Amino acid sequence: MIRTLFLALIGIVCLGVTAEAQQSYGKAQRRDPLFLRFPEMADRYWERSETSTASNRVVAIPMPKQCAFLYADSYTRGQMSPKEVQDTALSACNRRLTELGPLGENYSVDCRCQVVITNDNYLVPRDMLPDDAYGPVSIFYRDDRGNIARLNGVVRYGALIGRDRSVTFTVDNPRGERVCDGTMTNEGPASGQFSLSCFGGKFGGRGSYESKTGAPNDHVIARGQTGRGQPVVMVIGLPAQLAANTYGGV
């Protein structure tokens, strides 16, 4: 009898822990910033019949919110349980994050994937979710002597590059200090002009940008010249090492 009561108590405790872990912080909406940031995900989640009607729908992103420059979504296939769908999304997010390389040159925080939406319910408080678009950024430029300099950090922009006419952005270094401001002006579906000013106007540049999809991660590559006529390249959406290996030759 005592053993039966003990096992029942354990079951109640476990159910309580599970319920707490799955606490809802409100309903997800189609126009929430997270879905505006990742239109492909929004299309699968809300629009496509084969996924929008799935019995279990899960979204995972790297957290905290400044790390959310990629995502993974998963939908019920066959007899998958809700837990299996969550595990699938989390595993895919972690794999993508690992494949892109270390983030320590961009972030002082530890970016870790987390399930944030399950079946239209937020599993984290709304104030912890991305309210703007964020991502790692690297700026490469040549100084007056022809040497290549590099600035790494995190970029934040408050609108959708390529869909809004003009998008302002800011760049913080890994210590969280704001070092650059800039603007991207859309001229086509995935291209336009950019300008930036850093270190209180001591360094700046302007030129053109292009959005790249899935190569190896969605990112923006901007190329132009500094005020002294030297080349400058800005890469948004790739960790510093990957950005340097791909575009660091300026």
Side-chain angles (χ1 to χ4, degrees), residues 20-117:
E20 182 180 358
Q22 298 297 302
Q23 178 180 353
S24 173
Y25 291 93
K27 288 287 186 178
Q29 303 293 328
R30 176 66 175 83
R31 300 297 295 176
D32 286 347
L34 184 61
F35 290 103
L36 294 177
R37 171 68 177 84
F38 300 113
E40 305 91 345
M41 179 183 73
D43 179 65
R44 274 194 300 274
Y45 196 95
W46 298 107
E47 307 297 337
R48 296 186 192 178
S49 59
E50 68 272 19
T51 49
S52 64
T53 58
S55 57
N56 290 290
R57 305 186 293 170
V58 174
V59 174
I61 59 173
M63 291 287 282
K65 62 185 178 182
Q66 62 265 39
C67 298
F69 68 101
L70 57 82
Y71 70 91
D73 51 355
S74 182
Y75 305 86
T76 293
R77 296 194 195 102
Q79 301 300 313
M80 292 174 68
S81 69
K83 180 65 164 54
E84 288 174 321
V85 181
Q86 290 188 18
D87 289 345
T88 299
L90 192 61
S91 176
C93 180
N94 282 320
R95 182 176 64 254
R96 289 195 62 198
L97 197 61
T98 300
E99 288 173 349
L100 292 175
L103 289 164
E105 292 183 67
N106 298 96
Y107 294 93
S108 60
V109 298
D110 187 13
C111 298
R112 295 191 179 188
C113 287
Q114 182 176 345
V115 172
V116 295
I117 299 176

